[in-house]
Amino acid sequence: MDTLCEKFSKLGIDNAPGQEKTQKDREIDLRGNIIEGKEVDFSHGDVDAFEPLPGSLDCFIKGYEVGGKQAYTEYRGKLDIRKDVAEKISKFTGSKINPEENIILTPGTQGALFLAMGSMIGTGDKVAIVEPDYFANRKLVEFFGGKIIPIELDYKKYADRAGIDLKDLENKFKDGVSLFIFSNPNNPLGVIYSAEEIEGIASLAKKYGVSLIVDELYSRQIFDHRQYTHLCAMPEIPDQMITIIGPSKTESLSGFRLGIAFGNKDIILRMEKLQAIVSLRTAGYCQSVYHVWFNEPEGYMESRIKAHQDIRDELFTKFTDAGYYVRKTEAGSYLFVELPKLDIPLKDFVVALRKLAGVTVTAGIEFGPQFTRHFRINFSQDAEAASAAADRIIEIVKRYTCDC
Amino acid sequence: MDTLCEKFSKLGIDNAPGQEKTQKDREIDLRGNIIEGKEVDFSHGDVDAFEPLPGSLDCFIKGYEVGGKQAYTEYRGKLDIRKDVAEKISKFTGSKINPEENIILTPGTQGALFLAMGSMIGTGDKVAIVEPDYFANRKLVEFFGGKIIPIELDYKKYADRAGIDLKDLENKFKDGVSLFIFSNPNNPLGVIYSAEEIEGIASLAKKYGVSLIVDELYSRQIFDHRQYTHLCAMPEIPDQMITIIGPSKTESLSGFRLGIAFGNKDIILRMEKLQAIVSLRTAGYCQSVYHVWFNEPEGYMESRIKAHQDIRDELFTKFTDAGYYVRKTEAGSYLFVELPKLDIPLKDFVVALRKLAGVTVTAGIEFGPQFTRHFRINFSQDAEAASAAADRIIEIVKRYTCDC
């Protein structure tokens, strides 16, 4: 059991978003009075502020009423639903998805990531991940016994690209990387990879035979009419490639646990085999709800994106005025905030913030060990509550800013 | 990727229940005419014949209406639901489950099994599994790199016990087994382990420091008022022990993907860490549906069990009269049928049966390599259709019985 102990000791969840209430009480240096205000949990979006897509519950009920054929589907998901989703996603991404072979319905995009990595990472494989990027990427690579090769994103340097160094990437690909995983738009930064970056990644992966997993979870929520490039639609892509997307974020359907993965048919088959022993299938009745996705009432998505953009602007201005470094979110609902130097550890600050101001944020170290002065917020929240919470954050930061 | 290739080639799903329609067409020796009749898929229960527990959809809708707090729960499941379930299962099993520490809500019992095995099996560990037993046990042990130690069940020898040889088990425990997994009632046989067998397993596991996973998925559907012994309630049990149960079978809630695991708190914590990267949590809105479980209207379960017992009796008599060996199901909805010697491979017979008679069964070899003349059926079906399908099975078997 020793290797298992080690494996699970790396697999921390105490500081993961949503798990804050399970943290054991530690001695924290709490300074000053509690600042009253409506509690805000920035660790994930507030589906009460931005409700699930219209019609989603009705869809679920219809699925329930279908009965047995909806309860027991193929492990990769019900064929008519795969057809519907494949058609919509082909159109959205500009790629060609065969519903019989190239797509699997998964329990959330987390499910898609787990299945994809489990199907593509062997023990000892070198797996390149971006820093910062979605916190589970690191944990998954470690769980499957891969060796992490970090790719730093120089996100402060450019306004028109995410900041990947293609030369550095090429060197690491040359050096034996077998799989490269990244999210676009990036989580936690909310930056979009430029067309040139995407083309570069695609052609390097093709050249060096590196497999790709591209997590496009937030690719429908693009601000300021920016350009977005789907890697799967590039003329040259590697054979072994999987794209992941789902309706949990912009569409607020997280409570149904729906995601998809599409790409190479052999990998999809592996993912299905793995799904069969992981949890059989995406909950049968929930599968019906994919129908509302990409089927929103006219103008619905535009107004939702606009509402998020307004909150972004409000918070971005506040944090920038307070002197923190933040790159303005280009897509998705995250802001990754760099604080001045604090005189307590980041983990303690996060707890103090929750106790003194009723505000939950995700510590930067979840996204890469070097982000010790950073936190991430998901600003898909009630606009007023989020704005007031930002004020409280700024107030609490003052109490812990280092004089040094 | 070579080790991955090998790993996934072992992870077959073509013959797994529910996947039959994805099988590629092979040349099959089809003999005689098609026998008409209502199609019956015995690979799983028919939730149209035995519908989900009353109130389950209403519960789901209530959960949906709760909103964000129901969509985003702790990875191990929402605390108030864990409290409710822990209380009901403590009462049912006679064990003590602390809802804070000793229980996790999982996406089906398949989810519970995956998480438990993933948390308890290290590479190279010797893991004992019963033959025959639930087909995924073998696949999971292999996926996590364990070494399978088969424990044969001598189920033909006794009428009042499942047929485990405790002496053999002790020898294998002595020989370094670290984990023993079994289902009680057994899947596919539907036999119940006697109190003496359960006590024996518990005390041997305790004595040799062997961890246990007990899958009690069918323990609510007991026929003929037989005695059932919950291992978790024994006075002497090993520290590292997990019990699994869920409402997918007798209660027909499979379409919601609900299961639970309870036991040792350190293992439960590992399972939660794993769940966090596998699919975050059991679908939030679905979690509300645990409420109807063990909360059935008076007499509901009794009449459902009686209905299943009647179908069992009908099919048991037919198969026995046809000269097949079947042990009479003591609990659950399975019959494991041993056929006379056939003159085509079992896999082909299963396909022929489907094509000629519209009847789907699960091949015995899914439950252990030696069960080459066996099939399993789940008789939770429309009674009339199941009876007619049994007649068709008997007719088709005649066409393929070896004259030798």
Side-chain angles (χ1 to χ4, degrees):
Chain A
M1 285 264 202
D2 285 354
T3 54
L4 266 183
C5 272
E6 203 189 319
K7 192 168 184 174
F8 279 90
S9 71
K10 282 186 191 169
L11 205 59
I13 51 170
D14 289 357
N15 302 297
Q19 290 297 106
E20 295 78 9
K21 51 195 132 176
T22 65
Q23 286 168 6
K24 296 273 178 294
D25 265 339
R26 279 177 294 141
E27 278 285 318
I28 302 281
D29 170 17
L30 293 178
R31 299 182 194 162
N33 295 331
I34 286 171
I35 316 176
E36 301 294 339
K38 192 184 166 197
E39 279 190 27
V40 174
D41 184 351
F42 281 119
S43 71
H44 57 73
D46 179 357
V47 302
D48 299 331
F50 289 97
E51 293 189 350
L53 288 185
S56 53
L57 180 60
D58 291 342
C59 253
F60 181 91
I61 295 171
K62 271 185 204 148
Y64 176 85
E65 284 164 355
V66 166
K69 292 212 181 307
Q70 189 68 50
Y72 287 91
T73 74
E74 297 94 306
Y75 300 140
R76 62 174 64 194
K78 199 156 177 273
L79 180 59
D80 61 339
I81 297 170
R82 273 185 280 138
K83 282 182 181 163
D84 174 52
V85 176
E87 194 185 327
K88 296 186 294 194
I89 302 295
S90 295
K91 197 173 152 197
F92 173 64
T93 59
S95 67
K96 269 187 203 157
I97 306 167
N98 173 346
E100 308 263 1
E101 294 190 327
N102 298 120
I103 186 168
I104 180 170
L105 312 182
T106 59
T109 47
Q110 183 69 48
L113 257 187
F114 180 83
L115 299 175
M117 292 208 201
S119 300
M120 294 166 87
I121 301 174
T123 309
D125 283 357
K126 287 187 181 171
V127 181
I129 62 171
V130 169
E131 290 183 352
D133 209 330
Y134 179 48
F135 56 86
N137 292 359
R138 165 177 303 272
K139 295 176 188 177
L140 282 160
V141 175
E142 284 175 346
F143 183 78
F144 289 115
K147 185 175 178 317
I148 289 172
I149 308 295
I151 306 288
E152 219 172 304
L153 210 58
D154 199 356
Y155 60 90
K156 291 185 182 175
K157 205 170 168 184
Y158 311 93
D160 57 350
R161 42 185 295 171
I164 197 165
D165 179 343
L166 290 170
K167 204 70 220 148
D168 174 50
L169 192 70
E170 179 162 18
N171 287 334
K172 281 164 178 164
F173 281 9
K174 268 188 197 164
D175 209 32
V177 161
S178 65
L179 173 66
F180 176 46
I181 299 159
F182 72 107
S183 58
N184 181 28
N186 173 273
N187 171 357
L189 290 164
V191 299
I192 299 174
Y193 287 77
S194 68
E196 190 208 331
E197 288 176 298
I198 291 299
E199 281 158 24
I201 293 167
S203 68
L204 287 175
K206 176 92 180 163
K207 182 172 175 188
Y208 294 99
V210 172
S211 307
L212 289 181
I213 297 176
V214 187
D215 175 356
E216 299 196 346
L217 182 51
Y218 265 117
S219 58
R220 289 189 82 193
Q221 187 171 303
I222 308 285
F223 300 136
D224 311 310
H225 305 285
R226 282 176 178 270
Q227 190 198 6
Y228 181 91
T229 311
H230 293 279
L231 201 153
C232 56
M234 293 286 100
E236 275 214 319
I237 56 171
D239 280 350
Q240 309 261 314
M241 160 154 179
I242 292 292
T243 307
I244 285 168
I245 185 171
S248 286
K249 300 293 183 181
T250 313
E251 301 86 350
S252 298
L253 299 182
S254 180
F256 296 98
R257 299 276 72 218
L258 304 173
I260 65 159
F262 61 94
N264 178 285
K265 71 174 176 155
D266 299 326
I267 307 285
I268 295 291
L269 177 59
R270 282 189 184 177
M271 290 172 70
E272 181 179 35
K273 287 178 167 191
L274 188 48
Q275 178 60 48
I277 59 168
V278 166
S279 63
L280 295 180
R281 61 183 68 79
T282 301
Y285 304 140
C286 291
Q287 288 183 31
S288 325
V289 182
Y290 285 102
H291 179 67
V292 296
W293 192 28
F294 284 93
N295 227 347
E296 299 85 8
E298 210 183 306
Y300 185 91
M301 288 301 285
E302 290 75 6
S303 89
R304 185 169 273 220
I305 291 167
K306 173 69 171 58
H308 281 93
Q309 191 168 313
D310 291 346
I311 301 171
R312 174 202 67 174
D313 290 344
E314 169 95 1
L315 301 190
F316 175 78
T317 306
K318 289 201 177 206
F319 291 137
T320 306
D321 288 352
Y324 313 157
Y325 175 82
V326 201
R327 183 162 160 184
K328 198 185 240 184
T329 316
E330 298 164 5
S333 299
Y334 296 120
L335 277 170
F336 197 53
V337 181
E338 183 177 334
L339 295 174
K341 194 155 190 276
L342 302 177
D343 61 7
I344 56 167
L346 183 65
K347 275 186 184 182
D348 289 2
F349 170 76
V350 165
V351 176
L353 184 61
R354 202 167 68 246
K355 297 205 168 184
L356 292 171
V359 177
T360 302
V361 301
T362 303
I365 43 175
E366 287 281 313
F367 306 94
Q370 65 273 53
F371 301 106
T372 53
R373 275 163 53 186
H374 302 67
F375 65 80
R376 184 195 74 177
I377 62 171
N378 183 322
F379 58 75
S380 186
Q381 307 287 342
D382 174 78
E384 217 170 295
S387 173
D391 291 335
R392 300 205 295 284
I393 291 175
I394 292 165
E395 193 52 42
I396 300 294
V397 168
K398 281 183 197 155
R399 300 184 189 171
Y400 292 97
T401 303
C402 189
D403 291 330
C404 50
Chain B
M1 286 264 204
D2 285 354
T3 54
L4 265 184
C5 272
E6 202 190 318
K7 193 168 183 172
F8 279 91
S9 71
K10 282 187 193 168
L11 205 58
I13 51 170
D14 288 358
N15 302 298
Q19 290 297 106
E20 295 79 8
K21 52 195 133 178
T22 65
Q23 286 169 5
K24 296 274 178 292
D25 265 339
R26 278 178 293 141
E27 278 286 319
I28 301 281
D29 171 15
L30 292 179
R31 298 182 194 162
N33 295 330
I34 287 172
I35 317 176
E36 301 294 339
K38 192 183 166 197
E39 279 191 26
V40 175
D41 184 350
F42 281 119
S43 71
H44 57 73
D46 179 357
V47 302
D48 299 331
F50 288 97
E51 293 189 351
L53 288 185
S56 54
L57 180 60
D58 291 342
C59 252
F60 181 92
I61 295 170
K62 271 186 205 148
Y64 177 85
E65 284 164 354
V66 166
K69 292 215 181 306
Q70 188 69 49
Y72 288 90
T73 74
E74 296 94 307
Y75 300 139
R76 61 174 63 195
K78 201 156 176 272
L79 181 58
D80 62 341
I81 297 171
R82 274 185 279 137
K83 283 183 180 162
D84 173 51
V85 176
E87 195 186 326
K88 295 187 292 194
I89 302 295
S90 295
K91 198 172 153 196
F92 173 65
T93 58
S95 66
K96 269 187 202 156
I97 307 167
N98 174 346
E100 308 264 1
E101 294 189 328
N102 299 120
I103 186 168
I104 180 170
L105 311 182
T106 60
T109 46
Q110 183 69 48
L113 256 186
F114 181 83
L115 299 175
M117 293 210 203
S119 300
M120 295 166 88
I121 302 174
T123 309
D125 283 356
K126 287 186 182 173
V127 181
I129 63 172
V130 169
E131 289 183 353
D133 209 330
Y134 179 48
F135 56 86
N137 292 359
R138 165 178 302 270
K139 295 176 189 179
L140 282 161
V141 175
E142 284 175 347
F143 183 78
F144 289 115
K147 185 177 180 311
I148 289 173
I149 307 295
I151 306 288
E152 220 173 303
L153 210 58
D154 199 356
Y155 59 89
K156 291 186 182 175
K157 204 170 169 183
Y158 313 92
D160 57 349
R161 43 186 293 172
I164 197 166
D165 179 343
L166 291 170
K167 203 71 218 149
D168 174 52
L169 191 70
E170 178 161 18
N171 286 335
K172 281 164 178 164
F173 281 9
K174 267 188 198 165
D175 208 32
V177 160
S178 66
L179 173 66
F180 176 47
I181 299 159
F182 71 107
S183 58
N184 182 28
N186 172 274
N187 171 356
L189 290 165
V191 299
I192 299 174
Y193 287 77
S194 67
E196 192 208 330
E197 287 176 300
I198 292 298
E199 281 159 23
I201 293 168
S203 68
L204 287 174
K206 177 91 181 168
K207 182 171 175 189
Y208 294 100
V210 172
S211 306
L212 289 181
I213 298 176
V214 188
D215 176 354
E216 299 196 346
L217 182 51
Y218 265 117
S219 58
R220 288 190 82 193
Q221 187 171 305
I222 308 285
F223 300 136
D224 311 310
H225 306 285
R226 281 176 179 272
Q227 191 197 6
Y228 181 91
T229 312
H230 292 279
L231 200 152
C232 57
M234 292 287 99
E236 276 214 319
I237 55 171
D239 279 351
Q240 307 263 314
M241 159 152 181
I242 292 292
T243 307
I244 285 168
I245 185 170
S248 286
K249 299 293 184 182
T250 313
E251 301 86 349
S252 298
L253 299 182
S254 179
F256 295 98
R257 300 274 73 219
L258 304 174
I260 65 158
F262 61 94
N264 178 284
K265 72 175 177 154
D266 299 325
I267 307 286
I268 295 290
L269 177 59
R270 281 189 185 178
M271 290 172 70
E272 181 179 35
K273 287 177 166 191
L274 188 48
Q275 178 58 48
I277 58 168
V278 166
S279 64
L280 295 180
R281 62 182 68 79
T282 301
Y285 303 140
C286 291
Q287 288 183 30
S288 324
V289 182
Y290 286 102
H291 179 67
V292 296
W293 191 28
F294 284 94
N295 227 347
E296 300 86 8
E298 211 183 306
Y300 185 90
M301 289 301 286
E302 290 75 5
S303 89
R304 185 169 272 221
I305 292 168
K306 172 70 171 60
H308 281 93
Q309 191 167 312
D310 290 346
I311 302 171
R312 174 203 66 173
D313 290 344
E314 169 95 1
L315 300 190
F316 175 77
T317 305
K318 288 200 178 205
F319 291 137
T320 306
D321 288 352
Y324 314 157
Y325 175 82
V326 201
R327 182 161 162 184
K328 198 184 241 184
T329 316
E330 297 164 4
S333 298
Y334 295 121
L335 276 170
F336 197 53
V337 180
E338 183 177 335
L339 295 174
K341 194 156 190 273
L342 303 177
D343 61 8
I344 56 166
L346 182 66
K347 275 186 183 183
D348 289 2
F349 170 77
V350 165
V351 176
L353 183 63
R354 200 167 68 247
K355 297 205 167 183
L356 293 171
V359 177
T360 302
V361 300
T362 304
I365 43 176
E366 287 281 314
F367 306 94
Q370 65 273 51
F371 301 104
T372 53
R373 276 163 53 186
H374 302 67
F375 65 79
R376 185 195 74 175
I377 62 171
N378 183 321
F379 59 74
S380 185
Q381 306 286 345
D382 174 77
E384 217 169 297
S387 173
D391 291 336
R392 300 205 296 284
I393 291 175
I394 292 165
E395 194 51 42
I396 301 294
V397 168
K398 281 184 196 155
R399 299 184 189 172
Y400 292 97
T401 301
C402 190
D403 290 329
C404 49

